[in-house]
Amino acid sequence: QVHLVESGGGSVQSGGSLKLSCAASTLISRPYCMGWFRQVPGKEREGVAVLDSGGSSQVADSVNGRFTISQDNTDDKLYLRMSNLKPEDTAMYYCAARPYCALPSALPSHNLFTHWGQGTQVTVSS
């Protein structure tokens, strides 16, 4: 099965930047969807940014203009560039993937995804 490993989380001041990375243990069967989700204790896991192998991407309104999702197509490594971080961005960030997937028009629910990383913590202080 596909294993996903996130890295790049940490603690930053408000207004700072981080770049998260997600490495897959093997190439993911095309077409696929991959993305970033985040979760805080007591809250539903929410989508942050997703893309698919066809080149489509979607970003949550709450991070649009601040976060950018991208991918290295040679190894499927996924990235999330985060800038102008705010305390409300504090969460555990998870990488997720689903083989044989193409994005719908709306940002998909976490229920769509079948493979998950362990998460990397992002903490933004004021």
Side-chain angles (χ1 to χ4, degrees):
Q1 61 180 348
V2 176
H3 293 98
L4 304 173
V5 180
E6 304 96 335
S7 62
S11 298
V12 298
Q13 295 291 112
S14 181
S17 299
L18 285 172
K19 183 180 179 180
L20 307 184
S21 299
C22 173
S25 62
T26 186
L27 291 176
I28 302 167
S29 298
R30 272 73 169 164
Y32 62 76
C33 300
M34 292 189 73
W36 294 93
F37 292 76
R38 65 187 184 187
Q39 188 170 28
V40 298
K43 299 289 187 178
E44 182 85 3
R45 189 169 297 187
E46 65 176 356
V48 176
V50 295
L51 55 73
D52 66 21
S53 54
S56 297
S57 64
Q58 297 174 3
V59 181
D61 289 342
S62 59
V63 304
N64 191 33
R66 299 187 297 118
F67 292 12
T68 302
I69 188 169
S70 62
Q71 186 169 41
D72 183 343
N73 292 319
T74 64
D75 59 4
D76 292 342
K77 194 169 186 179
L78 190 72
Y79 302 96
L80 185 69
R81 288 182 169 87
M82 304 184 293
S83 63
N84 192 24
L85 284 161
K86 303 175 180 180
E88 53 262 43
D89 295 318
T90 296
M92 184 73 73
Y93 283 72
Y94 297 91
C95 177
R98 182 191 174 106
Y100 309 110
C101 169
L103 290 179
S105 58
L107 191 70
S109 166
H110 63 87
N111 295 125
L112 178 69
F113 293 85
T114 56
H115 297 80
W116 293 87
Q118 291 182 320
T120 185
Q121 179 68 37
V122 172
T123 302
V124 185
S125 59
S126 60

